[in-house]
């Protein structure tokens, strides 16, 4: 059964990778690709159309799933259109505020929605183990450092926020301290969060747990955006058969 895929953000860093991964996937067919300001008319032989045509493309081309890597504002517009059309929605977009996250949740009442801040399988493994590390090292200082390319809009990364949720669920922490400056001794129970932006670094996340004259460092490093695109396309193939609801990447890779 071929999964019919619509792509948004088609000429963006991730949009191009998604098209690449979908074109090379033997169970996928790209039925449309859109961008707000398509600077290129084609990506890997796929015509890039205007995002203004998105709603009509949902009915004309009948995708089974849309894959979105754009920005929070656009992702909400796209998911609401997909909910109206009953088309599944897979998004890797990060930086949602509470209202935008609520809009994603509301759309999942009408269609299948899968949001993952990181589609690398290695990051899912890191999410699965970081809580165990925190539980095993009570009282250790915890710091998180994420490093990305100099074009990234949001900070800290969506992945960092997801890892912090797991850390906070599994230890006694009081607050997140984003960077430090001036007279800033470490307070008990704080988690230091640091966002580095440099060059064209694809994405790195490191959690440091330190205490008792020792340290444990858990690190994930993505070498290529294709890692994320492959996970997103796998999620689109998986979600095509799902009923309306809110899903996560763990649902895809745990099967
Ligand atoms: N979940 C994951 O595994 C990953 C998630 N991401 C996330 O994906 C998103 C996109 O990243 P990336 O591809 O590097 O970004 P880019 O800026 O390279 O691409 C975003 C694309 O989406 C379009 N777009 C449409 N609406 C918006 C909007 N409201 N804000 C920004 N762009 C918009 C842009 O087109 P135009 O310029 O024509 O407007 C652009 O082509 C980010 O949120 C990032 O954090 C990135 C990598 C992996
Ligand atoms: O903007 C990026 O590039 C990435 N963003 C995601 C995030 O915010 O966690 C995932 C990945 O780290 C790359």
């Amino acid at each position: 059964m071929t999964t019919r895929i619509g792509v948004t953000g088609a000429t963006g860093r991730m949009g191009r990778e998604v098209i690449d991964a979908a074109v090379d996937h033997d169970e996928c067919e790209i039925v449309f690709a859109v961008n707000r300001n398509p600077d290129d008319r084609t990506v890997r032989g796929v015509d890039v159309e205007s995002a203004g045509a998105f709603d009509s493309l949902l009915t004309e081309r009948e995708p089974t799933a849309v894959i979105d890597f754009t920005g929070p504002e656009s992702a909400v517009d796209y998911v609401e259109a997909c909910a109206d059309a009953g088309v599944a929605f897979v998004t890797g977009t990060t930086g949602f505020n509470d209202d935008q996250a609520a809009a994603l949740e509301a759309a999942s009442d009408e269609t299948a929605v899968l949001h993952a801040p990181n589609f690398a399988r290695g990051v899912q493994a890191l999410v699965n183990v970081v809580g165990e590390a925190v539980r095993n090292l009570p009282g250790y200082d915890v710091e998180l450092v994420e490093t990305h390319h100099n074009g990234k809009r949001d900070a800290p990364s969506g992945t960092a926020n997801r890892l912090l949720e797991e850390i906070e669920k599994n230890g006694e922490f009081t607050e997140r301290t984003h960077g430090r400056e001036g007279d800033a001794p470490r307070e008990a129970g704080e988690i230091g969060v640091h966002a580095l932006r440099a060059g064209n670094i694809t994405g790195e996340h490191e959690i440091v747990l330190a205490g008792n004259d020792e340290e444990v460092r858990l690190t994930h490093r993505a070498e290529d955006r294709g890692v994320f695109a492959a996970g997103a396309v796998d999620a689109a193939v998986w979600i095509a058969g799902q009923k309306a609801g809110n899903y996560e990447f763990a649902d895809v890779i745990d099967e």
Side-chain angles (χ1 to χ4, degrees):
M1 175 77 174
T2 298
T3 301
R4 297 168 58 83
I5 289 178
V7 179
T8 60
T11 64
R13 296 180 197 88
M14 279 304 303
R16 293 170 183 277
E17 295 289 341
V18 166
I19 290 173
D20 243 359
V23 164
D24 292 338
H25 195 294
D26 55 14
E27 293 175 46
C28 293
E29 176 193 357
I30 297 177
V31 294
F32 67 76
V34 297
N35 219 43
R36 289 182 308 186
N37 312 297
D39 40 10
D40 291 342
R41 299 313 301 165
T42 61
V43 174
R44 200 55 207 278
V46 174
D47 289 340
V48 179
E49 300 169 84
S50 167
F54 184 76
D55 291 19
S56 54
L57 290 168
L58 287 179
T59 48
E60 287 163 20
R61 311 280 173 83
E62 297 181 303
T64 42
V66 166
I67 300 178
D68 165 85
F69 289 85
T70 55
E73 307 82 1
S74 296
V76 167
D77 292 341
Y78 290 136
V79 77
E80 288 177 343
C82 286
D84 292 344
V87 173
F89 188 74
V90 172
T91 183
T93 298
T94 59
F96 292 101
N97 63 31
D98 290 347
D99 289 345
Q100 292 160 338
L104 280 182
E105 175 83 26
S108 70
D109 293 338
E110 308 301 325
T111 194
V113 176
L114 191 153
H115 173 235
N118 199 304
F119 277 105
R121 290 167 181 267
V123 164
Q124 189 56 48
L126 183 58
V127 166
N128 292 343
V129 301
V130 68
E132 184 76 21
V134 170
R135 276 203 306 280
N136 278 272
L137 298 170
Y140 278 45
D141 295 335
V142 178
E143 299 270 312
L144 186 149
V145 183
E146 55 100 337
T147 307
H148 286 88
H149 53 91
N150 56 27
K152 183 168 179 56
R153 272 178 64 182
D154 56 324
S157 67
T159 306
N161 287 326
R162 180 69 187 87
L163 291 165
L164 287 163
E165 285 171 13
E166 289 304 309
I167 291 165
E168 289 162 342
K169 275 195 305 196
N170 288 279
E172 301 291 319
F173 299 100
T174 56
E175 64 177 332
R176 301 177 185 182
T177 301
H178 294 275
R180 290 191 182 89
E181 65 175 346
D183 180 8
R186 191 182 214 285
E187 300 292 334
E190 73 178 21
I191 304 173
V193 183
H194 312 277
L196 311 187
R197 295 290 177 266
N200 63 348
I201 295 170
T202 301
E204 298 177 11
H205 292 85
E206 180 168 66
I207 300 104
V208 180
L209 302 100
N212 184 36
D213 291 337
E214 61 179 352
E215 60 183 83
V216 172
R217 290 177 182 255
L218 304 174
T219 302
H220 178 273
R221 180 174 300 111
E223 302 294 349
D224 185 281
R225 289 187 179 89
V227 169
F228 310 129
V233 170
D234 287 347
V237 171
W238 177 86
I239 205 172
Q242 304 300 326
K243 63 184 189 320
N246 211 355
Y247 299 96
E248 54 187 22
F249 193 41
D251 299 319
V252 178
I253 55 181
D254 286 352
E255 281 221 335

